[in-house]
Amino acid sequence: MSAPVLISSTRGARVALHDLGGDGPTVLLTHANGFCGLMWAPVARNLGAVAHCWALDFRGHGDSESGPDEDYDWAGMADDVLAAVDALAPTPRLAAGHSLGGASILKAEQARPGTFERAWVYEPVTVPELALPRGGVSALGQIARTRQEVFESRQAAYDRYAARPPLQLLDPEVLRAYVDHGFRHRPDGTVTMKCPREVEAAIFENLDCSAFDRLGEVATAVTVARSPDTDPPGMAAPHIAEALPNATLESFDDLTHFGPLQDPPRIAASIAAALFGD
């Protein structure tokens, strides 16, 4: 796989764009908090006959770099989406995002209306504050801070995740992409997360609830995909679709919040339908 393209974003960040290949309209893929863009590679391969896919690493993730004064406000991730759009030619016809990635696509549309002709978002974390359980956001930050950050090897990380919830739900190729591209070697031969757990925690704790109240400004055609999960992103998805002026709600009743990482062929088919739908 070729080296990513590094592009300038705001607050001194330089974000990585990965060319995942394919023929057809340009599609931009954005990932969830703590993960990396190359986890979309299996989906992109399934889209290869109909789309040319690029995957973005948000600031603080994957091969991207954060500026010295980074605070991980969610507006910065929307800026990363817009920086990627400005760097790509032709401009992406559709952006597809998971969780933080989906929320950042919607925020990018609010910041710059008409950026995308179409969007596909899986359980975007675009939730009203009243939908959050008391202490829920801080709890997610605390969980992130307890994650094991250093492993003896990539294989050790893979074996641990493959045997434990929730990452044991991931498609094996997607999980392999995470440990291959979401970790870096340390001088002592061990590997560590490219997205430090403090960064993941800061993003959870900076959750932006303001975007929900502005969903009426997003005129682009949006497919909102959801699972039957009872956590806030899954519960909020129907309300997000209702608040958007031009949205379709799609349910994946056998998946979870990790749906795009669980069933790449079916997710790719859904994105393709959104790309070419009426």
Side-chain angles (χ1 to χ4, degrees):
M1 188 171 293
S2 60
V5 178
L6 285 175
I7 56 174
S8 296
S9 188
T10 54
R11 298 180 69 95
R14 298 177 71 219
V15 294
L17 270 174
H18 301 271
D19 186 352
L20 301 183
D23 295 311
T26 303
V27 169
L28 178 65
L29 303 168
T30 60
H31 62 81
N33 186 18
F35 290 141
C36 63
L38 285 171
M39 296 176 74
W40 281 104
V43 169
R45 188 178 66 253
N46 281 276
L47 285 167
V50 298
H52 184 169
C53 293
W54 291 79
L56 169 68
D57 287 337
F58 286 120
R59 60 188 64 197
H61 295 75
D63 295 321
S64 293
E65 304 167 2
S66 298
D69 61 345
E70 183 56 57
D71 61 1
Y72 297 104
D73 184 274
W74 285 43
M77 269 63 79
D79 290 340
D80 295 345
V81 171
L82 294 174
V85 169
D86 291 342
L88 291 172
T91 300
R93 183 182 186 194
L94 176 143
H98 172 210
S99 194
L100 168 67
S104 299
I105 289 167
L106 295 176
K107 280 188 68 67
E109 270 293 325
Q110 291 170 343
R112 191 192 297 175
T115 293
F116 301 107
E117 181 181 335
R118 301 168 183 272
W120 184 96
V121 293
Y122 191 99
E123 297 193 359
V125 191
T126 308
V127 297
E129 191 163 2
L130 59 84
L132 297 173
R134 183 173 299 175
V137 174
S138 60
L140 288 173
Q142 292 166 8
I143 291 170
R145 288 189 174 90
T146 66
R147 292 184 64 191
Q148 182 174 339
E149 196 167 59
V150 178
F151 291 85
E152 179 182 343
S153 65
R154 284 192 169 92
Q155 187 61 46
Y158 181 91
D159 291 342
R160 177 180 174 88
Y161 292 141
R164 296 171 58 124
L167 297 190
Q168 94 280 12
L169 298 172
L170 271 56
D171 175 89
E173 186 181 0
V174 174
L175 182 57
R176 179 60 66 183
Y178 174 46
V179 299
D180 284 350
H181 303 291
F183 285 75
R184 63 169 52 91
H185 282 288
R186 304 195 326 159
D188 64 0
T190 60
V191 297
T192 188
M193 296 174 182
K194 287 183 177 178
C195 175
R197 56 193 180 191
E198 283 295 329
V199 170
E200 183 179 357
I203 292 171
F204 280 132
E205 292 166 354
N206 282 338
L207 180 65
D208 177 11
C209 294
S210 67
F212 182 86
D213 294 331
R214 298 179 56 203
L215 287 174
E217 301 172 21
V218 179
T220 194
V222 181
T223 298
V224 180
R226 65 164 301 191
S227 74
D229 274 9
T230 56
D231 289 335
M235 294 286 285
H239 303 288
I240 293 169
E242 184 178 3
L244 289 164
N246 186 14
T248 301
L249 180 66
E250 182 173 3
S251 295
F252 292 87
D253 292 338
D254 57 336
L255 300 181
T256 72
H257 182 63
F258 293 97
L261 313 177
Q262 291 178 262
D263 194 341
R266 192 145 50 109
I267 294 298
S270 176
I271 294 172
L275 178 61
F276 296 107
D278 296 332

